Amino acid sequence: MQPTGFIGREAEMAKLGELLGDPECRLLTIAGPGGIGKTRLAVEVARQQLPAFPDGVYFVSFVSVETPTQMTYAVSDALDFSLLGTGDPQAQLLRRLENHTVLLLLDNLEHLLDDTSLIQRLIAEVPTLKLLVTSREPLDLQAEHIFDLHGLEVPTRSTDIANFDAVKLFLQSAYKRRADFTLDPTNSPPVSRICKLVGGQPLALELAASWLRLLDPDDIASEIETGIDFLHATTRDLPVRHRSIRAVLEHSWGLLNQLEQAALLRLAVFRGGFTREAAFEVAGTSLDILAGLVDKSLLEVVPGGRYRRHPLVIQYTREKLESQPEVLAQARERHGSYYLRLLQQRGKDLQSLRRKQALAILEADVANIEVAWHWAVEQGQALALTRSAEAIRELLSDRIADAQELFAFAASRLRVDDPEHQVALGYVLIEQTLTIMVFGGVQAALTSAMRGLEMVKVAKDEPGILQGLFALAWSQWVAGDFQRSKETCEEGLERARHLSDAGFVAKFLALLALALKEFDILPETHAFYQNGLTEIRQLDCDPQYLAAYLHFMAFFLLHNGDLHLARGLELESLQLFKELGFETWLTGPLDCLGMVAYKLGEIDEAATRLQQALTVADEVGHPFMQAYILGNLARVAVVKGDHAVAEQHLKQGLRIALNTGNPVSQNTILVSLAELRIAQDQPNEAAAWLALAARHPQAERHDRVQAQQVLADLQERLPPAEFEAATLRGQELELEEVVQQLLTPL
């Protein structure tokens, strides 16, 4: 009788039952690390098999068995069969089992694998017999069918976690220690965290729950993160080998040979999974050693040819590695060098049509790459940082906060007084500009761009100078300094043409297409867009810049030209960005397509496109576009007559724009809010805001034009004195003050 009820494993039991029902399967091994629940699962499966074995199902524990001879006696004892003092014990046992339809459950066989003669004879000489074995590694016999057992299912979402098997077992164990313990919104996150920290290992879950009499779940999770020694218990009827996770892991460690121990130790430097190539390059681990560690349930092969370890194995081996400083330093150096080299090699493809393939390789190792970046910063590997900075930003373009953290860490550690460090710092600051700007913080982005550009100019590093000018022009535009942005673009374009750098020619053409739309539209403006499109299509450059140019040209046409041509260009841009895998960049084309539909009177299409754009902006964390899109969604809501939704969108967008210090978005939303007030028959307030936006130097040209047009309409509706008073009031207003007042609760 088991002391606790059996939880979960329905799929595993079904598969094991199916295998035992297969006539070809005579020897079935449940393999897995210690504490994973092999014995409990095997007992439940064996119980279900009772009807299929009329001569009995027998449990044989090998925990205390030390020699092959003792194995025979252990099986005989389980069968209640006495061996005679003379004669071959194995032969006597085989005669006893002859013609009997029996299932033997042989538990804990991993320490007896040097001599499996008894197992082989049982299979060969008793055809009516089947063996169900539990072991930390397979028996490596021809007749063997192997079933790898892993942890219970851990929560994959933050809500409704009670249906996950790992949580169910934790709660069952918790109830025995604290009858009043129930899952609630407060303790659900730490319970979920506990389950993930122990990788759903049943023994660890039970040991963690045993502390609930003294600690709450949050404290338990913190203690587990501190060290595995916390996971122990003094329960008297628990086998000694299961009274602590350390004992379980020490036993597994002791089953390894010296080469396997050395390899597992060095593999502790990895974060998450790793490839066979990485294991060889970083830890010098051969395929045979990897196979041995997989067989001993200390590594797991996952789809894609990668290897991973159980979280508790990671914690245990990392502790061992950190106790050997010289080995740790060597492992970190090889690890850091390997992953930064991989990033530099594959990073070149992140701006090309090979982006998706490169992302698939690099994203699988993001955790390792981030650790490598930290190592390079700590060790002052300036050249490696210089070569990797742009690739880091491209790799983490959909995880902007992570990129910003890496750049900030490097910027805080690199020394300005070292020439090599100064170049690396320049590159870091330039790439940091592009993350700060998207994440929010316009003034900080400008400062970062100017500092970075100054440093690479001192070093006369031409690629760095071009990238610095590009970052500076971007940040100037976002800050609403359109004239300087245009001038910086023109400087960068001239420099790129002089150096015959097709990639940067394309980048500056695309950015200049964005900047020019803020100025008076002249015949040569249209000519620039057409000529630029022809040139960029002919350039041998990364296609993302063609996609960006198409988007900016479509945006120009949205407000100054042919809506149908704008739609065609934007659809091409959207398709290119999708093919390239640029999730962050999808927001712009989707937003523009939404506004093209809005202007064409296709309101439902506009709402669909804009909502798609907002969803992407929310997913990748793009505050600038979030604010912008919310303002446009509000315009659609006004046309639909849903003023409450429009108000909600506009206030949310204003809050984002204020938090990021983005005057461009603030002006856009203010114009939309004025249109809403007019629809709500509040024209005086609207007139003041429109007067402010119409003259504001950091408003986009199309917003200024829109404000002027709506003001002209209002002038026809309002009495002259009221209109003049409202517009005079608007000319005295300060943008940030207005926004703050709008967001202040009454």
Short mmCIF file of all heavy atoms in Angstrom, two decimals, residues 15-30 45 49 53 102-104 123 126-133 142-147:
data_model
loop_
_atom_site.label_atom_id
_atom_site.label_comp_id
_atom_site.label_asym_id
_atom_site.label_seq_id
_atom_site.Cartn_x
_atom_site.Cartn_y
_atom_site.Cartn_z
N LYS A 15 0.88 4.52 -22.34
CA LYS A 15 1.94 4.05 -23.25
C LYS A 15 2.64 2.81 -22.70
O LYS A 15 2.92 1.85 -23.43
CB LYS A 15 2.96 5.17 -23.46
CG LYS A 15 4.04 4.82 -24.48
CD LYS A 15 3.43 4.51 -25.86
CE LYS A 15 4.50 4.18 -26.88
NZ LYS A 15 3.91 3.82 -28.19
N LEU A 16 2.91 2.81 -21.39
CA LEU A 16 3.56 1.64 -20.79
C LEU A 16 2.66 0.41 -20.86
O LEU A 16 3.13 -0.70 -21.11
CB LEU A 16 3.94 1.95 -19.33
CG LEU A 16 5.11 2.93 -19.16
CD1 LEU A 16 5.17 3.43 -17.72
CD2 LEU A 16 6.43 2.27 -19.55
N GLY A 17 1.36 0.61 -20.65
CA GLY A 17 0.42 -0.50 -20.77
C GLY A 17 0.39 -1.05 -22.18
O GLY A 17 0.33 -2.27 -22.40
N GLU A 18 0.46 -0.14 -23.14
CA GLU A 18 0.49 -0.55 -24.55
C GLU A 18 1.74 -1.37 -24.85
O GLU A 18 1.68 -2.40 -25.54
CB GLU A 18 0.44 0.70 -25.43
CG GLU A 18 0.52 0.42 -26.92
CD GLU A 18 0.63 1.69 -27.74
OE1 GLU A 18 0.11 2.73 -27.30
OE2 GLU A 18 1.26 1.64 -28.81
N LEU A 19 2.88 -0.94 -24.33
CA LEU A 19 4.13 -1.66 -24.56
C LEU A 19 4.11 -3.05 -23.92
O LEU A 19 4.54 -4.04 -24.52
CB LEU A 19 5.31 -0.85 -24.03
CG LEU A 19 5.69 0.40 -24.83
CD1 LEU A 19 6.66 1.27 -24.06
CD2 LEU A 19 6.29 -0.01 -26.18
N LEU A 20 3.59 -3.11 -22.70
CA LEU A 20 3.54 -4.42 -22.02
C LEU A 20 2.57 -5.37 -22.72
O LEU A 20 2.70 -6.59 -22.61
CB LEU A 20 3.15 -4.23 -20.55
CG LEU A 20 4.25 -3.66 -19.65
CD1 LEU A 20 3.70 -3.33 -18.27
CD2 LEU A 20 5.41 -4.65 -19.53
N GLY A 21 1.60 -4.82 -23.44
CA GLY A 21 0.66 -5.65 -24.18
C GLY A 21 1.21 -6.13 -25.51
O GLY A 21 0.59 -6.97 -26.19
N ASP A 22 2.36 -5.59 -25.90
CA ASP A 22 2.99 -5.97 -27.17
C ASP A 22 3.77 -7.27 -26.97
O ASP A 22 4.69 -7.33 -26.14
CB ASP A 22 3.93 -4.86 -27.62
CG ASP A 22 4.57 -5.14 -28.97
OD1 ASP A 22 4.40 -6.27 -29.50
OD2 ASP A 22 5.27 -4.24 -29.48
N PRO A 23 3.46 -8.33 -27.72
CA PRO A 23 4.18 -9.61 -27.55
C PRO A 23 5.69 -9.48 -27.76
O PRO A 23 6.47 -10.27 -27.21
CB PRO A 23 3.56 -10.51 -28.62
CG PRO A 23 2.22 -9.90 -28.89
CD PRO A 23 2.39 -8.43 -28.72
N GLU A 24 6.10 -8.49 -28.56
CA GLU A 24 7.52 -8.32 -28.83
C GLU A 24 8.27 -7.67 -27.67
O GLU A 24 9.50 -7.69 -27.62
CB GLU A 24 7.71 -7.47 -30.09
CG GLU A 24 7.16 -8.09 -31.35
CD GLU A 24 7.86 -9.40 -31.68
OE1 GLU A 24 9.11 -9.45 -31.54
OE2 GLU A 24 7.18 -10.38 -32.05
N CYS A 25 7.52 -7.08 -26.76
CA CYS A 25 8.15 -6.36 -25.65
C CYS A 25 8.20 -7.28 -24.42
O CYS A 25 7.20 -7.46 -23.72
CB CYS A 25 7.37 -5.08 -25.32
SG CYS A 25 8.07 -4.14 -23.96
N ARG A 26 9.36 -7.82 -24.15
CA ARG A 26 9.53 -8.73 -23.01
C ARG A 26 10.27 -8.04 -21.86
O ARG A 26 10.11 -8.43 -20.70
CB ARG A 26 10.35 -9.95 -23.45
CG ARG A 26 9.76 -10.74 -24.62
CD ARG A 26 8.77 -11.77 -24.16
NE ARG A 26 9.20 -12.47 -22.96
CZ ARG A 26 10.20 -13.37 -22.91
NH1 ARG A 26 10.87 -13.69 -24.02
NH2 ARG A 26 10.53 -13.95 -21.78
N LEU A 27 11.08 -7.06 -22.21
CA LEU A 27 11.87 -6.34 -21.22
C LEU A 27 11.63 -4.84 -21.42
O LEU A 27 12.02 -4.28 -22.44
CB LEU A 27 13.36 -6.67 -21.37
CG LEU A 27 14.35 -5.82 -20.56
CD1 LEU A 27 14.08 -5.94 -19.06
CD2 LEU A 27 15.79 -6.24 -20.88
N LEU A 28 11.01 -4.20 -20.44
CA LEU A 28 10.66 -2.78 -20.54
C LEU A 28 11.31 -2.04 -19.37
O LEU A 28 11.03 -2.34 -18.21
CB LEU A 28 9.15 -2.61 -20.51
CG LEU A 28 8.60 -1.17 -20.49
CD1 LEU A 28 9.11 -0.38 -21.69
CD2 LEU A 28 7.08 -1.19 -20.46
N THR A 29 12.18 -1.09 -19.70
CA THR A 29 12.89 -0.34 -18.66
C THR A 29 12.35 1.08 -18.59
O THR A 29 12.33 1.81 -19.59
CB THR A 29 14.40 -0.27 -18.96
OG1 THR A 29 14.92 -1.61 -18.98
CG2 THR A 29 15.13 0.54 -17.90
N ILE A 30 11.90 1.48 -17.40
CA ILE A 30 11.56 2.88 -17.13
C ILE A 30 12.83 3.55 -16.63
O ILE A 30 13.30 3.26 -15.52
CB ILE A 30 10.44 3.00 -16.09
CG1 ILE A 30 9.18 2.27 -16.56
CG2 ILE A 30 10.13 4.47 -15.81
CD1 ILE A 30 8.05 2.25 -15.54
N VAL A 45 1.49 0.90 -12.88
CA VAL A 45 1.36 0.17 -14.15
C VAL A 45 1.23 -1.32 -13.88
O VAL A 45 0.39 -2.02 -14.48
CB VAL A 45 2.57 0.46 -15.07
CG1 VAL A 45 2.56 -0.47 -16.28
CG2 VAL A 45 2.56 1.92 -15.52
N GLN A 49 -1.80 -4.26 -14.62
CA GLN A 49 -1.50 -5.45 -15.43
C GLN A 49 -1.91 -6.77 -14.75
O GLN A 49 -1.74 -7.84 -15.35
CB GLN A 49 0.00 -5.49 -15.74
CG GLN A 49 0.48 -4.38 -16.64
CD GLN A 49 -0.12 -4.46 -18.03
OE1 GLN A 49 -0.18 -5.53 -18.64
NE2 GLN A 49 -0.59 -3.32 -18.54
N PHE A 53 -1.71 -11.18 -16.17
CA PHE A 53 -0.70 -12.13 -15.71
C PHE A 53 -1.31 -13.02 -14.62
O PHE A 53 -1.17 -12.73 -13.42
CB PHE A 53 0.54 -11.38 -15.19
CG PHE A 53 1.27 -10.63 -16.27
CD1 PHE A 53 0.95 -9.30 -16.56
CD2 PHE A 53 2.25 -11.25 -17.01
CE1 PHE A 53 1.61 -8.62 -17.56
CE2 PHE A 53 2.93 -10.58 -18.02
CZ PHE A 53 2.60 -9.26 -18.30
N VAL A 102 4.06 -14.51 -15.84
CA VAL A 102 4.41 -13.67 -14.69
C VAL A 102 4.99 -12.34 -15.17
O VAL A 102 5.70 -12.29 -16.18
CB VAL A 102 5.44 -14.40 -13.79
CG1 VAL A 102 6.01 -13.46 -12.73
CG2 VAL A 102 4.80 -15.61 -13.12
N LEU A 103 4.68 -11.29 -14.41
CA LEU A 103 5.34 -9.99 -14.61
C LEU A 103 6.18 -9.70 -13.37
O LEU A 103 5.65 -9.65 -12.25
CB LEU A 103 4.31 -8.86 -14.80
CG LEU A 103 4.88 -7.43 -14.84
CD1 LEU A 103 5.79 -7.25 -16.07
CD2 LEU A 103 3.76 -6.40 -14.86
N LEU A 104 7.48 -9.52 -13.57
CA LEU A 104 8.37 -9.15 -12.48
C LEU A 104 8.71 -7.67 -12.59
O LEU A 104 9.19 -7.20 -13.64
CB LEU A 104 9.67 -9.96 -12.54
CG LEU A 104 9.58 -11.47 -12.29
CD1 LEU A 104 10.98 -12.09 -12.34
CD2 LEU A 104 8.93 -11.76 -10.95
N ILE A 123 14.86 -13.65 -19.76
CA ILE A 123 14.22 -13.33 -21.04
C ILE A 123 14.37 -14.48 -22.03
O ILE A 123 13.43 -14.85 -22.75
CB ILE A 123 14.83 -12.03 -21.63
CG1 ILE A 123 14.46 -10.83 -20.76
CG2 ILE A 123 14.37 -11.81 -23.07
CD1 ILE A 123 12.97 -10.56 -20.68
N VAL A 126 12.58 -18.10 -20.24
CA VAL A 126 11.20 -18.14 -19.74
C VAL A 126 10.33 -17.29 -20.66
O VAL A 126 10.08 -16.11 -20.39
CB VAL A 126 11.11 -17.64 -18.28
CG1 VAL A 126 9.70 -17.88 -17.73
CG2 VAL A 126 12.15 -18.30 -17.41
N PRO A 127 9.88 -17.84 -21.77
CA PRO A 127 9.15 -17.05 -22.78
C PRO A 127 7.82 -16.50 -22.29
O PRO A 127 7.29 -15.58 -22.90
CB PRO A 127 8.96 -18.05 -23.93
CG PRO A 127 9.11 -19.40 -23.32
CD PRO A 127 10.09 -19.25 -22.20
N THR A 128 7.27 -17.03 -21.23
CA THR A 128 5.99 -16.53 -20.72
C THR A 128 6.18 -15.40 -19.71
O THR A 128 5.20 -14.87 -19.16
CB THR A 128 5.22 -17.67 -20.04
OG1 THR A 128 6.05 -18.25 -19.02
CG2 THR A 128 4.83 -18.74 -21.05
N LEU A 129 7.41 -15.01 -19.48
CA LEU A 129 7.75 -14.00 -18.48
C LEU A 129 7.96 -12.63 -19.13
O LEU A 129 8.46 -12.53 -20.24
CB LEU A 129 9.04 -14.42 -17.76
CG LEU A 129 9.67 -13.41 -16.79
CD1 LEU A 129 8.95 -13.45 -15.45
CD2 LEU A 129 11.16 -13.74 -16.59
N LYS A 130 7.56 -11.57 -18.40
CA LYS A 130 7.90 -10.21 -18.82
C LYS A 130 8.53 -9.48 -17.64
O LYS A 130 8.18 -9.73 -16.48
CB LYS A 130 6.66 -9.45 -19.31
CG LYS A 130 6.14 -9.95 -20.64
CD LYS A 130 5.27 -8.93 -21.35
CE LYS A 130 4.85 -9.42 -22.73
NZ LYS A 130 4.20 -8.37 -23.53
N LEU A 131 9.46 -8.57 -17.98
CA LEU A 131 10.16 -7.81 -16.95
C LEU A 131 9.87 -6.32 -17.12
O LEU A 131 10.01 -5.77 -18.22
CB LEU A 131 11.67 -8.05 -17.04
CG LEU A 131 12.17 -9.48 -16.84
CD1 LEU A 131 13.69 -9.53 -17.01
CD2 LEU A 131 11.77 -10.01 -15.48
N LEU A 132 9.47 -5.68 -16.03
CA LEU A 132 9.32 -4.23 -15.97
C LEU A 132 10.39 -3.73 -15.01
O LEU A 132 10.39 -4.09 -13.83
CB LEU A 132 7.93 -3.84 -15.48
CG LEU A 132 7.65 -2.34 -15.31
CD1 LEU A 132 7.82 -1.60 -16.63
CD2 LEU A 132 6.25 -2.12 -14.74
N VAL A 133 11.34 -2.95 -15.51
CA VAL A 133 12.52 -2.56 -14.75
C VAL A 133 12.51 -1.05 -14.52
O VAL A 133 12.12 -0.28 -15.40
CB VAL A 133 13.81 -2.96 -15.51
CG1 VAL A 133 15.05 -2.43 -14.81
CG2 VAL A 133 13.87 -4.47 -15.67
N GLN A 142 19.75 -6.16 -26.03
CA GLN A 142 19.05 -6.15 -27.31
C GLN A 142 17.53 -6.25 -27.15
O GLN A 142 16.78 -5.65 -27.91
CB GLN A 142 19.55 -7.31 -28.19
CG GLN A 142 20.96 -7.12 -28.71
CD GLN A 142 21.37 -8.23 -29.66
OE1 GLN A 142 20.60 -9.14 -29.94
NE2 GLN A 142 22.59 -8.15 -30.17
N ALA A 143 17.09 -7.00 -26.18
CA ALA A 143 15.65 -7.20 -26.01
C ALA A 143 14.96 -6.02 -25.34
O ALA A 143 13.73 -5.98 -25.27
CB ALA A 143 15.41 -8.46 -25.18
N GLU A 144 15.74 -5.05 -24.89
CA GLU A 144 15.20 -3.99 -24.04
C GLU A 144 14.41 -2.95 -24.83
O GLU A 144 14.83 -2.47 -25.87
CB GLU A 144 16.36 -3.30 -23.31
CG GLU A 144 15.92 -2.23 -22.33
CD GLU A 144 17.13 -1.59 -21.63
OE1 GLU A 144 18.22 -1.53 -22.27
OE2 GLU A 144 16.99 -1.17 -20.47
N HIS A 145 13.23 -2.58 -24.30
CA HIS A 145 12.47 -1.41 -24.73
C HIS A 145 12.65 -0.36 -23.65
O HIS A 145 12.48 -0.66 -22.46
CB HIS A 145 10.98 -1.73 -24.90
CG HIS A 145 10.68 -2.57 -26.11
ND1 HIS A 145 11.16 -3.85 -26.27
CD2 HIS A 145 9.94 -2.31 -27.22
CE1 HIS A 145 10.72 -4.34 -27.44
NE2 HIS A 145 9.99 -3.43 -28.02
N ILE A 146 12.98 0.86 -24.05
CA ILE A 146 13.31 1.91 -23.07
C ILE A 146 12.20 2.97 -23.06
O ILE A 146 11.78 3.45 -24.11
CB ILE A 146 14.65 2.58 -23.40
CG1 ILE A 146 15.76 1.52 -23.43
CG2 ILE A 146 14.98 3.66 -22.38
CD1 ILE A 146 17.07 2.04 -23.99
N PHE A 147 11.75 3.33 -21.86
CA PHE A 147 10.78 4.41 -21.69
C PHE A 147 11.42 5.45 -20.77
O PHE A 147 11.63 5.23 -19.59
CB PHE A 147 9.49 3.88 -21.07
CG PHE A 147 8.41 4.92 -20.96
CD1 PHE A 147 7.50 5.10 -21.99
CD2 PHE A 147 8.31 5.74 -19.84
CE1 PHE A 147 6.50 6.07 -21.91
CE2 PHE A 147 7.31 6.70 -19.75
CZ PHE A 147 6.41 6.88 -20.79
#
